[in-house]
Each structure stands twice: as structure tokens, then as C-alpha cells.
Amino acid sequence: MSKSMGAGEAVVDLLEQAGVKTVFGLLGGSMLELYDALRMSKIGYVGARDERAAGHMADAYARITGGPGVVLGAQAGPGVVNLTTAVAEAHLAYSPLVAIAGAISRDQAGRDTFQEVDQQALFAPISKKSILVPSPERLPELMAEAMRIAMSGRRGPVVLHVPRDIFAADVPAGTLIRHGGNQAGAPDSEQIASILSLLAGAEKPVIIAGGGFKWSQGSQALVALAEVLQIPVVSSTGHHDVMATDHPLHAGQGGPRGNKVASNLTREADVILALGTRLGFNSTFHSNDYINAEAAIVQVDVDGSALGRYFPVAMGIVADARAAAQVLTTAAGKNDLSSQAWQPWLESFRQAKAALEEERRAEAKLEGKPLPPFRALGEIRESLPDDVIVTLDTGAMCLQAADRMRFGTSPGLLTPLDFGLVGFGYAAALGAKAAAPERPVVSVMGDGGFGMTMIEMTTAVQHGLPVVAVVLDNGAWGAEKAYQRDFFGGRYLGADLLNPDYAAFAEQIGAVGYRASAPGEVGSAMVDALASGKPAVIQVTVDPDAMFSLRKDLFKPSDNRRA
């Protein structure tokens, strides 16, 4: 007679095989057997106050470690449904989140049972795969399958729905399958020769580097390629950390969410090496306003369906970003590819980068009370350690912050990316800290977004996650209020917020609270908060009139509207 183990033990055993060190969740009755097995394992557990937040923590954990990130939706029905936002976020960020979701018992399905919802169908369009486990015998197999799918190719979230009665059953031993992700390789020699031929005729080449370098841990390969070619690098939106901010060849984030120097490079380039990037909406608005229509584009991505999808390409190559950079660097060195033809282009870039850096230094000295938001961001930037991890929300100020922060270690920036989610940043910071406890973690958020998730400060205190939250408090949903001002005649509804004293709340729960409203106070508070070794919040009163409309193409003027 074959040996067996409990279903919870089987799942924990597979997590250990996969090298998972920490999982996130919210306790529920649908998988108590798994929790019991988890308690007796070496895997750490972070219990959140909301499943959505737990999902963001696991997403961030995956982005820092390379994945998978595991979240437990431990209560069938409402608890699992709370995970939808986090799964949708991971889906558009291509993050390998594995959600183990409790489900109602199989014999109760289809009877309008207490807490019954068609979870498998609910998650199908917002995940790589939504899997319902049909029997105890298949649980280990499908758990391994979920992890394999999440980690293979272009990564993404997978949701595994486990009926309550299966967790109460035994699983035959010896059926566990170690997960393994399948990734793309490098371009072949013929493709490399064609790329070098294109570059040989270039006068204004640029590299656009995307998140593929972060998933493949390819930052150093990118630096080596840029240096051997002497070509400036533009990072795609949300990936300003693909190489060190202060590297002389790094232009920073380009496109509509980026800076003018980086954006001008891609507008004017005659050859674009788009490596590990889809050239997606947030980076380009799918517009030749940001990508030169006459440029010869070489696009390298692990997903063949992304090649040439938004812009016609001279070459489309299915390959890993790091592997592509490595073989291209070697080939360029052997061929002694000369950069003489683009020396004027390179020198012009260096001058523009120096001017932009001077503008940023001036921003950090702006006066005023309440603080100009760019002064606050400047003080944050100048106080950040080189190995910092910064998490952001969406919103006008957070989108501006992405290119204004300073990074020395990759990965170091986590943002909502294409889902454009508000409320992501603080929970993500906790997941990042759990993934990299030796690194300082700072979350920069607006007051609205932090208000959504401020209860997770209790999670930070309970689990010893010393994250510093900086709340830019203008008392409003700033992006939307700016649109109401600029396009709707200043007719405000729903824009203003009544905020609590976040610093006082932090003190009440055992964290550290700071308030900043004058020049110099943000940077000073940041230094103190990082040194405290405790969870902290810095509530920064910023100028409420400094809001601006980021998208001027969305609305028509309000002159003909009823006042």
C-alpha cells in the first residue's frame, strides 16, 4: 500500500522544492490544512489585512526575487474574489504570481452554495491560466503545472482553485513534480550579423531597454552592451532601474511618462535596439510622437506575439534580453564596430543629460510652503541609498516620480505598470522588503492611494517589515482634480479628501511618524526614518495648486458645457 500525505503537506512540500521562502495571504477556513503544514515548515508567512494587499505583496516578492510569488486566497468566494485586483495587476505586469485559491467542496458546486462563485471563470481573462483541481490525486501535478506556467516564457499569474474537500483529503506520496520555467535563448549568429550591419550604417542609434532585463537579471549585460557600442540607453516606463541612474549612457525613462532627453532620443533615432520591451502603451502611447517612424527597429522579446505588434520592425527576434545583450556585446567587440559615425549624436546627448541633471538639482531647491511636489521628490531622491527599492502608485505625481528617483541596484523600482493601479505601492513595498530584508525599501504614494492601504502598516509592524512610506498629501485625487480644473471649468465633485493624521496613526500602532511641510524637512525625515529600523510614514504637505493634467488628449474644452 502506497504512502500518502495530507494535501496541505503536499503543497508546502512543492513550495519548498521551488525555493519559495515566504508566502502571503489572509487566514481563511478553506485551507487550514495548508496553514497547519506551513506552520511546521521553514517557509515564512506574512498575513495581510486584505487579500488584495497580500496579492500585491506576493507580486512584488516575485519581481524582486525573479519569482514565483505565492499568495493564499484562503477563503472561498469573497476572500478569493478580493484577489482579482492583484491578479489583474500581475497579469499586465507579467509577474509570476501563483495564487492558491480555496474553493467550495466539489459536492456542493452548482447549488448556490454559501460563498459559491464561478472562480475559475472569473480569473480566466486576467491570468495566464485559471485551473480547478478536480481530484486529490491531481493536486501535486496541477500545483507544479501552475508554477511552470507562471515562470515560463513571458511570465504571468496563475490561479489554482482547490476545493475544500480536497484539502481535507490525502494525496499519494511520490507524485510531486518539481517546477521549472522555460525561457528563450539568444539570437543566432546570422541575426547578430544583421544587427551589426544595421548599426554600421547608423548615425543616431539608441537602445530602449525594458523589463526583460529585470526578469533575466541582465542589468550588467545591458551596461556592457551600451559601453562597448557607446550608445545611449532609454528605459521603458516603470523600468528606470534597468541600469544605474548615474551611468553616463543612461538617459532615464522615455516616452510620455519620461523625461525630455530620453524622449527626444527615441523621436530622432535612426536605429532602435528595443531589447526586452513590447514598446507598449505606457512607454509610447502607440504613437510616432515618441518612436521615429523612419527608424529601423530591432525588437527582441521572449514573446513572439509582441514583435512588430505596435510598430513595424526591421528585425523581430524571439530571445531573452540578457542573452541577446551578451552575444551582441561579444560580437561587437570582435568586429571592432566603430561609433565614430554617431559621435556628434552621443555628444549632443551628453550635453542634454547634463542640462537635465542641473534642472533636477534646481528642482530640489525650490522654495515654498506648502512644499512644491518637485522639491519633495528632489529631497527624497538625494536621500536615497544606492541599493534602495522604491515602490510607486499610479497618479500624476507618482508617474513623475518614476524618472526622478535614483537607483544603483536592479531591480530597484516597482510600479503598477500598465494596469495603472492606485493602492499598489505600499503593499508592494512590504512584499519587496520580505524578499530583500537587507535592502532599504521606500514607498512614495499620494494621499488617496495610501489611504486605501494604510491599515497594512499594522502588517508591517506585526511582521517586522521596516518600510518607509512617503505620503504626498495635497488633500485630493490630484490627477482627476487637475482634469476637472482644466477641462470642466473647475466644477469639482469627489476630488477633495479628508485625510487622517497618518503620522499619528503610525505612532499609535508602534511605527514611527514624521510630518514635513517646509524645505529640508523631507530629506531629514527620510534619513531618520531609514536609520530607525522601524516601519515609518512621512506625511508631506504639498502644494495643492501644483497639480497638472498629464493627458491633454483625453478631454475637450468645457466652454460649451452647462455651468
Side-chain angles (χ1 to χ4, degrees):
M1 187 174 183
S2 64
K3 294 181 180 180
S4 62
M5 65 174 66
E9 293 177 85
V11 171
V12 170
D13 188 68
L14 187 56
L15 292 175
E16 289 177 333
Q17 290 186 45
V20 174
K21 304 298 183 186
T22 304
V23 300
F24 305 84
L26 193 157
L27 183 64
S30 297
M31 56 175 69
L32 288 175
E33 292 84 359
L34 192 157
Y35 271 74
D36 193 51
L38 194 63
R39 185 180 182 277
M40 294 184 283
S41 76
K42 295 180 180 180
I43 297 174
Y45 173 75
V46 175
R49 300 294 292 270
D50 182 84
E51 287 89 354
R52 168 185 167 175
H56 294 328
M57 293 175 200
D59 178 353
Y61 181 93
R63 297 195 209 182
I64 294 299
T65 63
V70 178
V71 61
L72 308 180
Q75 184 58 55
V80 174
V81 170
N82 280 346
L83 276 174
T84 53
T85 301
V87 172
E89 163 60 38
H91 186 52
L92 289 183
Y94 302 102
S95 181
L97 174 72
V98 175
I100 304 173
I104 62 167
S105 295
R106 290 171 295 170
D107 63 350
Q108 294 297 316
R111 296 181 173 180
D112 295 331
T113 300
F114 180 63
Q115 297 184 326
E116 181 177 11
V117 65
D118 190 345
Q119 296 175 189
Q120 186 179 16
L122 178 66
F123 285 92
I126 57 172
S127 64
K128 284 188 79 175
K129 195 162 186 179
S130 181
I131 304 169
L132 178 64
V133 179
S135 66
E137 293 75 19
R138 297 200 63 193
L139 174 59
E141 169 204 344
L142 292 176
M143 179 66 198
E145 176 75 350
M147 301 183 84
R148 183 189 66 80
I149 293 171
M151 293 291 290
S152 296
R154 185 179 290 284
R155 304 179 191 197
V158 177
V159 184
L160 185 73
H161 307 274
V162 186
R164 176 72 193 87
D165 60 307
I166 288 181
F167 269 123
D170 285 341
V171 174
T175 59
L176 299 179
I177 304 170
R178 187 182 298 273
H179 99 286
N182 302 313
Q183 300 301 329
D188 61 35
S189 57
E190 185 176 332
Q191 291 169 327
I192 292 296
S194 297
I195 296 172
L196 294 179
S197 178
L198 273 176
L199 287 172
E203 293 184 355
K204 297 180 178 181
V206 69
I207 297 170
I208 302 179
F213 281 105
K214 290 161 69 172
W215 287 119
S216 63
Q217 298 180 331
S219 180
Q220 292 307 309
L222 173 62
V223 170
L225 177 63
E227 290 179 346
V228 76
L229 294 176
Q230 286 297 293
I231 292 178
V233 175
V234 172
S235 54
S236 61
T237 295
H239 300 302
H240 182 198
D241 57 332
V242 288
M243 60 191 291
T245 304
D246 60 1
H247 192 285
L249 289 171
H250 191 191
Q253 186 170 283
R257 318 293 199 193
N259 68 66
K260 58 187 177 182
V261 175
S263 298
N264 283 339
L265 287 173
T266 59
R267 287 189 186 105
E268 299 172 8
D270 58 2
V271 174
I272 295 174
L273 301 184
L275 308 179
T277 173
R278 294 172 297 119
L279 299 175
F281 180 80
N282 262 358
S283 295
T284 65
F285 279 2
H286 299 158
S287 166
N288 289 119
D289 289 342
Y290 299 98
I291 299 293
N292 185 3
E294 304 301 319
I297 300 175
V298 176
Q299 188 176 10
V300 176
D301 198 89
V302 296
D303 181 4
S305 68
L307 303 177
R309 183 178 182 185
Y310 306 121
F311 299 92
V313 297
M315 292 182 64
I317 303 172
V318 177
D320 172 75
R322 181 180 69 173
Q326 288 171 335
V327 296
L328 190 53
T329 298
T330 300
K334 289 180 179 178
N335 284 269
D336 192 27
L337 183 67
S338 174
S339 61
Q340 284 300 115
W342 56 79
Q343 280 303 310
W345 164 255
L346 190 58
E347 183 56 33
S348 175
F349 156 67
R350 286 169 174 157
Q351 293 175 8
K353 178 178 169 70
L356 178 63
E357 289 172 346
E358 184 56 38
E359 287 181 23
R360 295 280 168 84
R361 285 190 288 269
E363 284 180 359
K365 296 178 182 177
L366 290 171
E367 296 292 332
K369 188 175 181 180
L371 279 175
F374 285 161
R375 170 68 188 249
L377 294 177
E379 289 191 28
I380 295 169
R381 178 179 66 248
E382 293 184 357
S383 61
L384 293 178
D386 282 345
D387 60 342
V388 72
I389 297 171
V390 175
T391 69
L392 301 173
D393 260 16
T394 291
M397 283 314 307
C398 285
L399 290 170
Q400 293 295 310
D403 191 66
R404 283 175 165 80
M405 295 296 100
R406 181 171 62 86
F407 304 99
T409 303
S410 181
L413 174 63
L414 304 180
T415 79
L417 298 173
D418 287 8
F419 197 45
L421 179 66
V422 175
F424 167 83
Y426 186 70
L430 300 186
K433 190 65 178 179
E438 75 285 357
R439 295 177 64 181
V441 179
V442 174
S443 179
V444 180
M445 300 182 71
D447 48 336
F450 187 72
M452 288 181 177
T453 54
M454 61 182 287
I455 192 61
E456 298 300 339
M457 286 200 73
T458 62
T459 304
V461 172
Q462 182 175 358
H463 293 280
L465 299 169
V467 164
V468 178
V470 183
V471 183
L472 303 176
D473 185 357
N474 64 359
W477 297 107
E480 289 70 25
K481 189 170 185 178
Y483 291 137
Q484 289 181 333
R485 179 196 63 193
D486 296 343
F487 296 97
F488 296 87
R491 298 186 292 276
Y492 301 120
L493 178 65
D496 295 316
L497 296 172
L498 176 62
N499 290 324
D501 186 331
Y502 294 126
F505 174 73
E507 297 286 353
Q508 287 176 348
I509 61 171
V512 183
Y514 302 86
R515 299 173 189 82
S517 59
E521 291 182 350
V522 178
S524 175
M526 179 65 76
V527 171
D528 287 349
L530 289 171
S532 74
K534 293 183 177 181
V537 62
I538 305 171
Q539 186 168 4
V540 185
T541 305
V542 296
D543 185 356
D545 296 323
M547 58 189 180
F548 62 94
S549 294
L550 186 67
R551 296 282 306 276
K552 300 186 184 302
D553 59 323
L554 291 178
F555 307 102
K556 296 179 180 180
S558 62
D559 295 345
N560 60 348
R561 299 177 190 270
R562 184 174 62 188

